[in-house]
């Protein structure tokens, strides 16, 4: 860290980004004999050594199942797992017993759909989604809509990829029971005004669900301030291990919800005549959880907090601006959307080239971008394309990498001309 003194005389520290980047072993790799330029963090982030070591240490020193064994290792594993729950709660500014630890956003939204919505929805009820949702926030709702006779309504976007909030509020009619939306779009980086939308939903008695997959890694979260009912995050996009995630829910919802999956850990007593279920959040955590994964995720939030989410957001904002401006200067490049508030994600195409060809040729130069529909078919339909390329940044990327990406893109354009 270096220290700067502002005009008011307040000293602030600027993180040493090069030293932070050096803590990510994988970023030192070469692919196709070129230095790796990883621009696919919206897909999954890379992991710092502290996360890798925390997982390694768990398996080397503490591995046992949770809540089952009274022996020393069993107690250590349980303490580590519950410690991770408390650590995540502190990161999200909520209470530990309001957090269901699960495999990720996909599981979390399915849990809300099946356990909260399915018993409540009736024919004619509506679920309001937005055009920019990831399939994980569309398909579970379609499945419960099919079973209950509810219908899906869609809030549309403008040409910039911003939600038309007025039109969305107008769609919050009395038959709407649930509104579910992304905090941040995985394709455009749009940051949605979720606080305003959830507040308006609450006023109308509509339950709100927020998919925070792309927000948690980039924005400092204060879930209670959002006024939502449910908030889902996935650990692997925020420097944590794959197969980890969290559903935050208001305590009264968790208490009223029946179990989603049955098995060990989620019960108090089982008889063939019937089962008494455990209290939330354990009622929703059937079976052996990803204990090592959550130990790693706790290390990941320690790492992120060690840098500071404000510093991360500022760094990514600056890098995102640099990336977008550089792409805008390139002839023949079409950029999708121009949201007012956004994270460091840019979707683009090059005139005359298919997204997969572009990504393949970039990969040969060491540049990893994602190509495809990004699990957002309805958004692709909005833009009238089957696929885009997406460059997505994290705080560990550098300006030099963005320059190298642009040089690689120019070379690809030459090859495709
Ligand atoms: C906005 C959004 N929602 C949901 C998901 C699904 O996350 P997971 O596959 O970790 O459950 C993703 C992952 O790409 C996403 O970007």
């Amino acid at each position: 860290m270096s220290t700067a003194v502002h005009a008011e005389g307040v000293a602030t520290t600027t993180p040493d980004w090069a030293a932070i980047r050096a803590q990510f072993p994988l970023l030192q790799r070469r692919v196709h004999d070129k230095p790796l330029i990883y621009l696919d963090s919206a897909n999954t982030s890379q992991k710092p050594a502290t996360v890798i070591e925390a997982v390694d240490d768990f398996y080397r020193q503490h591995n046992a199942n949770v809540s089952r064994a009274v022996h020393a290792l069993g107690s250590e594993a349980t303490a580590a797992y519950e410690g991770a729950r408390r650590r995540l709660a502190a990161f999200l500014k909520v209470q530990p017993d309001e957090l269901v630890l699960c495999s990720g956003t996909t599981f979390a939204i399915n849990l809300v759909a099946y356990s909260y919505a399915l018993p409540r929805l009736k024919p004619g009820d509506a679920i309001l989604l937005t055009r920019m949702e990831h399939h994980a926030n569309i398909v579970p709702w379609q499945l419960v809509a099919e079973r209950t006779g509810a219908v899906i309504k869609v809030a549309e976007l403008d040409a910039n990829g911003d939600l038309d909030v007025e039109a969305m509020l107008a769609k919050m009619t009395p038959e709407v029971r649930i509104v579910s939306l992304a905090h941040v779009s995985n394709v455009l980086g749009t940051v949605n005004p979720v606080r305003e939308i959830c507040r308006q939903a609450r006023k109308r008695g509509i339950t709100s669900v927020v998919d925070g997959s792309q927000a948690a890694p980039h924005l400092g979260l204060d879930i209670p301030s959002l006024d939502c009912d449910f908030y889902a995050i996935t650990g692997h996009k925020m420097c944590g291990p794959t197969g980890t995630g969290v559903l935050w829910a208001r305590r009264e919802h968790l208490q009223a919800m029946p179990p989603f999956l049955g098995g060990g850990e989620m019960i108090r007593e089982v008889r063939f005549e019937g089962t008494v279920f455990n209290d939330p959040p354990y009622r929703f955590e059937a079976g052996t959880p990803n204990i090592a994964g959550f130990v790693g995720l706790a290390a990941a939030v320690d790492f992120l907090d060690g840098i500071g989410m404000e510093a991360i957001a500022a760094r990514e904002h600056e890098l995102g601006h640099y990336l977008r401006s550089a792409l805008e200067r390139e002839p023949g490049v079409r950029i999708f959307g121009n949201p007012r508030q956004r994270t460091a994600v840019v979707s683009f195409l090059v005139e005359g080239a298919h997204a997969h060809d572009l990504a393949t040729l970039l990969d040969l130069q060491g540049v990893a971008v994602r190509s495809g529909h990004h699990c957002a078919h309805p958004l692709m339909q909005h833009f009238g394309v089957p696929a885009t390329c997406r460059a997505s940044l994290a705080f560990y990327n550098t300006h030099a990498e963005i320059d190298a990406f642009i040089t690689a893109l120019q070379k690809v354009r030459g090859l495709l001309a």
Side-chain angles (χ1 to χ4, degrees), residues 42-43 103-107 109 132-137 182 184-186 211-214 234-237 244 370 374-375 390:
N43 208 352
S103 62
T105 298
T106 303
F107 184 97
I109 295 178
M132 70 177 84
E133 297 313 312
H134 187 281
H135 297 163
N137 197 26
V184 173
S185 157
N186 62 315
D211 172 352
S213 307
Q214 299 288 346
T234 198
H236 68 95
K237 295 185 200 288
T244 59
R370 184 172 174 192
H374 313 293
C375 299
R390 178 188 68 187

Side-chain angles (χ1 to χ4, degrees), residues 131-406:
R131 170 72 55 188
M132 70 177 84
E133 297 313 312
H134 187 281
H135 297 163
N137 197 26
I138 300 175
V139 184
W141 300 114
Q142 289 176 326
L143 293 173
V144 298
E146 257 170 40
R147 290 218 205 161
T148 56
V151 296
I152 306 283
K153 289 173 75 171
V154 181
E156 297 293 346
L157 317 180
D158 64 17
N160 288 336
D162 277 314
L163 261 183
D164 184 339
V165 177
E166 283 304 307
M168 183 169 187
L169 296 185
K171 287 192 173 174
M172 289 188 185
T173 46
E175 69 279 12
V176 174
R177 302 287 306 278
I178 292 171
V179 56
S180 190
L181 81 161
H183 195 161
V184 173
S185 157
N186 62 315
V187 181
L188 307 172
T190 314
V191 180
N192 286 318
V194 290
R195 180 177 295 131
E196 166 69 1
I197 291 166
C198 295
R199 203 166 54 86
Q200 293 292 341
R202 176 164 302 282
K203 270 193 190 168
R204 294 161 171 80
I206 300 170
T207 300
S208 57
V209 184
V210 181
D211 172 352
S213 307
Q214 299 288 346
H218 308 295
L219 317 173
L221 288 181
D222 177 350
I223 291 180
S225 77
L226 298 178
D227 222 4
C228 58
D229 289 283
F230 295 95
Y231 196 98
I233 64 174
T234 198
H236 68 95
K237 295 185 200 288
M238 46 192 287
C239 297
T242 53
T244 59
V246 170
L247 173 70
W248 172 83
R250 287 179 185 273
R251 197 176 283 120
E252 64 267 25
H253 291 326
L254 288 180
Q255 277 162 354
M257 282 160 57
F260 174 38
L261 297 179
E265 310 286 351
M266 51 75 74
I267 52 86
R268 192 165 290 146
E269 191 183 358
V270 178
R271 292 173 185 269
F272 282 113
E273 297 74 41
T275 290
V276 181
F277 302 121
N278 208 339
D279 291 331
Y282 307 105
R283 188 190 298 163
F284 305 104
E285 295 180 9
T288 299
N290 184 356
I291 309 162
F294 282 101
V295 168
L297 185 54
V301 300
D302 279 345
F303 186 85
L304 295 175
D305 268 347
I307 302 170
M309 290 309 296
E310 231 174 88
I312 285 175
R315 161 83 173 170
E316 292 178 348
H317 181 78
E318 202 271 311
L319 284 173
H321 181 72
Y322 189 81
L323 167 68
R324 195 182 171 93
S325 309
L327 271 175
E328 278 170 354
R329 287 193 295 273
E330 289 305 301
V333 171
R334 175 180 174 194
I335 296 178
F336 292 84
N338 187 15
R340 273 192 297 272
Q341 264 206 7
R342 56 184 175 238
T343 56
V345 173
V346 184
S347 282
F348 65 95
L349 279 177
V350 169
E351 226 164 67
H354 192 279
H356 291 314
D357 295 338
L358 266 176
T360 306
L361 291 169
L362 285 169
D363 177 58
L364 290 175
Q365 298 181 68
V367 180
V369 295
R370 184 172 174 192
S371 60
H373 52 68
H374 313 293
C375 299
H377 274 150
L379 185 58
M380 296 294 112
Q381 288 149 14
H382 175 72
F383 287 115
V385 292
T388 70
C389 277
R390 178 188 68 187
S392 57
L393 307 180
F395 55 85
Y396 45 66
N397 288 119
T398 65
H399 297 88
E401 284 184 307
I402 296 169
D403 293 343
F405 159 57
I406 296 293

